């Protein structure tokens, strides 16, 4: 048996030999969705991952920049515009304009957003830099609550706390005004963020945490382990991954990512850049991508800017496109590595499943005679392609029912493009499909029936939300 991917590869290989082109072209066209990705986002999507970039609002007028960003990336981080100083320049006065420009650009182009960063010792507004103690704690929590609430529903993952640990061998927390409010400031920030936006994944984000042997890596690991043990709401760990010759990609990178993932959190590479050029830079990039793709819970990679000239470390030419927007050797090595595939991400893009999250939404409903039961709708994933995925909903009668209907709500920019085993109707927005049985909907207690659909995801892999009503 061959997989569609293998068939595609063979088709492409054979096509290169000219004489067989006509025969193999048919094969290639028969399985277009399995084609190797020709952009970073498409290639990453093959294994359920995203590929992102940092965006600067000031560059959104630059056509070369936006063309590349729109074509290659499907996860967007504001490089500076959602930091504390940008969001709350004066106490109690929030300025959403630059953050909104980036979030709106991303969403209009069908991309998801990583929020960066709610609480950080750096890039604090002046008024906050001068604060200490309980007044600062209150101000920090208020900031987290206000910003996460404002962007609620629009953020895939938040960097809730950024860079809270010391470099060097101590494994200690970084001394900062936030740390001086008490060692529990980090978990307090996570709790406030969860309350404000329960749908966003909540991440701890840091640098120099790539080498498993380093004290800082161990210290962050121990904090995450402790948070998981005590139920502090943390879903992910971000690895900034700013590399250069003094701080190269460690050979144990995969170990680090896997060990964190084994704590029950997603891992994400959040600010990747690697100073250098040519094949040595390309090789290091490849190593990072390979390490992420080998870890099921490494859900995506973000590079910290588009072209070398956009980088905060422009002199180190650390990105995937040169100043003119040409693809560098590093770009090609990343794309090729992504196209090698990897361990698929389970439930890509979906917030940590809890009973209240999309995916499984039991909805007990009063029923009419003769049914005594309610029904439960359960989602299960089907096949995934670059651009779309299949889902199945299983309806279970919790007691005898004479009929049922089930709503499937997808999130903008998703679209349901096909259904089977049921009769669908749609609401005005097109986001909510109500599925009813094609024939009789009567089910005995405990009996199940399934229907299916295809979602064109447009970069958003979130599972639909479901309800079930029995009659
Ligand atoms: C950097 C930005 O790229 C620069 O434009 C800004 O002057 C300083 O901050 N860690 C982080 C990022 O979490 O927010 C930083 O971004 C880079 C280091």
């Amino acid at each position: 048996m061959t997989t569609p991917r293998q068939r595609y590869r063979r088709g492409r290989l054979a096509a290169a030999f000219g004489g067989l082109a006509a025969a193999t072209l048919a094969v290639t066209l028969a399985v277009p969705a399995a084609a190797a990705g020709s952009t970073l986002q498409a290639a990453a999507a093959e294994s359920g991952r995203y590929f992102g970039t940092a965006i600067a609002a000031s560059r959104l007028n630059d056509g070369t920049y936006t063309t590349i960003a729109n074509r290659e990336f499907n996860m967007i981080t504001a490089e500076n515009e959602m930091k504390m100083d940008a969001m709350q320049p004066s106490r109690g006065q929030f300025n959403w304009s630059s953050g909104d420009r980036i979030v709106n650009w991303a969403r209009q182009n069908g991309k998801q957003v990583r929020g960066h960063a709610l609480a950080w010792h750096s890039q604090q507004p002046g008024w906050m830099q001068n604060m200490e103690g309980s007044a600062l704690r209150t101000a920090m929590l208020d900031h987290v609550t206000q910003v996460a609430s404002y962007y609620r529903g629009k953020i895939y993952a938040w960097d809730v706390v950024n860079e809270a640990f010391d470099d060097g061998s101590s494994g200690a927390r970084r001394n900062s005004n936030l740390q001086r409010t008490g060692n529990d400031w980090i978990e307090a920030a996570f709790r406030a963020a969860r309350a404000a936006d329960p749908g966003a994944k909540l991440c701890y984000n840091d640098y120099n945490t790539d080498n498993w042997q380093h004290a800082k890596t161990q210290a962050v690991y121990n904090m995450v382990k402790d948070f998981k043990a005590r139920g502090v709401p943390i879903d992910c760990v971000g690895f900034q991954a700013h590399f250069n010759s003094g701080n190269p990609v460690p050979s144990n990178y995969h170990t680090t990512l896997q060990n964190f993932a084994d704590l029950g959190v997603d891992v994400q590479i959040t600010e990747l850049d690697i100073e250098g050029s040519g094949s040595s830079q390309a090789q290091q990039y490849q190593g990072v991508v390979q390490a992420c793709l080998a870890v099921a819970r490494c859900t995506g990679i973000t590079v910290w800017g588009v072209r070398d000239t956009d980088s905060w470390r422009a002199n180190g030419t650390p990105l995937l496109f040169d100043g003119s927007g040409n693809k560098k050797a590093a770009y090609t090595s990343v794309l090729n590595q992504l196209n090698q595939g990897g361990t698929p991400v389970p439930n890509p893009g979906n917030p940590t499943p809890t009973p209240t999250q999309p995916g499984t939404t039991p909805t007990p409903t009063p029923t009419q005679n003769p049914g005594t039961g309610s029904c439960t709708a359960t989602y299960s994933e089907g096949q995934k392609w670059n651009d779309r995925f299949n889902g199945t909903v299983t309806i279970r009668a919790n007691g005898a029912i004479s009929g049922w209907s089930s709503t499937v709500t997808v999130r903008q920019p998703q679209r349901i493009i096909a259904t089977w085993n049921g009769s669908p109707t749609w609401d005005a927005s097109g986001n909510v499909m109500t599925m009813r049985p094609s024939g009789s909907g009567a089910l005995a207690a405990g009996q199940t029936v399934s229907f299916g659909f295809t979602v064109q995801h447009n970069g958003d892999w979130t599972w639909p939300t479901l309800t079930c009503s029995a009659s």
Side-chain angles (χ1 to χ4, degrees):
M1 258 211 39
T2 53
T3 65
R5 262 183 82 87
Q6 286 166 332
R7 284 203 298 279
Y8 173 78
R9 288 238 162 85
R10 281 177 202 174
R12 202 171 44 158
L13 202 63
F17 290 94
L20 293 170
T24 53
L25 195 61
V27 175
T28 307
L29 290 176
V31 285
S38 60
T39 63
L40 300 172
Q41 56 167 320
E46 289 180 41
S47 62
R49 292 177 172 80
Y50 66 80
F51 208 97
T53 187
I55 288 286
S58 60
R59 294 183 206 274
L60 285 175
N61 299 324
D62 174 340
T64 309
Y65 179 83
T66 51
T67 300
I68 299 171
N70 199 11
R71 183 186 68 216
E72 300 289 341
F73 304 103
N74 59 351
M75 183 67 74
I76 300 301
T77 308
E79 187 174 358
N80 289 296
E81 293 78 353
M82 292 166 80
K83 292 173 182 175
M84 300 180 101
D85 57 350
M87 295 266 89
Q88 196 179 175
S90 316
R91 184 150 195 199
Q93 285 181 2
F94 290 82
N95 182 349
W96 311 114
S97 58
S98 295
D100 280 352
R101 274 193 76 195
I102 293 182
V103 170
N104 291 339
W105 181 83
R107 289 168 63 83
Q108 279 156 13
N109 289 293
K111 303 174 190 311
Q112 291 182 284
V113 178
R114 288 194 84 265
H116 175 77
L118 291 172
W120 191 18
H121 71 276
S122 184
Q123 293 182 264
Q124 291 181 359
W127 61 268
M128 188 181 274
Q129 289 175 32
N130 297 326
M131 291 180 80
E132 295 281 342
S134 62
L136 173 61
R137 173 70 71 100
T138 304
M140 180 274 287
L141 291 177
D142 179 60
H143 181 89
V144 169
T145 300
Q146 302 265 1
V147 175
S149 302
Y150 180 81
Y151 285 112
R152 180 182 177 132
K154 297 182 173 173
I155 303 293
Y156 162 77
W158 265 112
D159 292 329
V160 178
V161 170
N162 200 28
E163 303 184 349
F165 282 80
D166 242 352
D167 297 307
S169 58
S170 72
R173 294 280 182 88
R174 176 192 297 275
N175 183 15
S176 72
N177 60 345
L178 292 170
Q179 180 62 29
R180 288 191 297 272
T181 71
N183 208 49
D184 62 343
W185 75 276
I186 299 180
E187 60 194 85
F190 273 85
R191 291 201 169 95
R194 178 67 100 224
D197 186 354
K201 289 178 188 271
L202 304 182
C203 305
Y204 176 80
N205 191 52
D206 214 329
Y207 66 95
N208 279 353
T209 47
D210 311 288
N211 190 323
W212 181 241
Q213 304 298 340
H214 283 179
K216 187 171 173 181
T217 310
Q218 293 295 316
V220 173
Y221 177 85
N222 287 329
M223 178 188 73
V224 175
K225 189 174 177 185
D226 170 56
F227 279 12
K228 292 301 284 184
R230 290 191 295 113
V232 177
I234 184 168
D235 308 305
C236 40
V237 176
F239 295 81
Q240 292 185 9
H242 296 295
F243 296 113
N244 54 35
S245 54
N247 176 33
V249 182
S251 58
N252 59 22
Y253 204 26
H254 170 249
T255 304
T256 303
L257 298 178
Q258 187 65 61
N259 286 344
F260 273 88
D262 288 346
L263 291 176
V265 288
D266 289 350
V267 295
Q268 301 167 1
I269 294 171
T270 53
E271 304 181 14
L272 179 62
D273 52 15
I274 308 177
E275 295 186 28
S277 61
S279 59
S280 103
Q281 183 183 46
Q283 247 172 32
Q284 293 194 66
Y285 261 105
Q286 183 185 356
V288 173
V289 174
Q290 198 169 23
C292 176
L293 262 70
V295 176
R297 291 196 74 159
C298 184
T299 58
I301 299 173
T302 294
V303 289
W304 204 238
V306 178
R307 300 160 300 196
D308 283 338
T309 43
D310 302 317
S311 168
W312 69 314
R313 292 175 163 179
N315 291 340
T317 60
L319 293 173
L320 302 178
F321 294 86
D322 70 19
S324 311
N326 300 310
K327 295 170 181 175
K328 294 166 58 180
Y331 172 93
T332 308
S333 72
V334 168
L335 184 70
N336 290 344
Q337 189 62 46
L338 291 170
N339 275 320
Q340 295 295 310
T343 313
V345 171
N347 314 336
N350 203 42
T352 314
T354 67
T356 57
Q357 292 295 341
T360 307
T361 315
T363 312
T365 315
T367 57
Q368 298 163 358
N369 194 36
T372 52
S374 58
C375 59
T376 307
T378 306
Y379 181 73
S380 57
E381 285 189 306
Q383 204 173 341
K384 302 190 199 77
W385 297 270
N386 284 347
D387 58 338
R388 63 197 194 282
F389 59 86
N390 283 350
T392 303
V393 173
T394 302
I395 303 295
R396 181 182 186 277
N398 299 320
I401 59 176
S402 52
W404 55 267
S405 71
S406 173
T407 64
V408 177
T409 304
V410 297
R411 259 183 17 176
Q412 286 279 18
Q414 296 174 332
R415 254 2 212 187
I416 296 179
I417 56 172
T419 70
W420 52 94
N421 291 351
S423 303
T425 54
W426 304 86
D427 79 337
S429 74
N431 293 336
V432 186
M433 171 181 76
T434 302
M435 187 64 105
R436 294 189 175 79
S438 306
S440 161
L443 295 174
Q447 204 182 346
T448 61
V449 66
S450 294
F451 64 87
F453 50 87
T454 302
V455 177
Q456 178 96 39
H457 59 68
N458 293 319
D460 185 339
W461 288 88
T462 311
W463 286 4
T465 51
L466 311 175
T467 66
C468 191
S469 302
S471 56

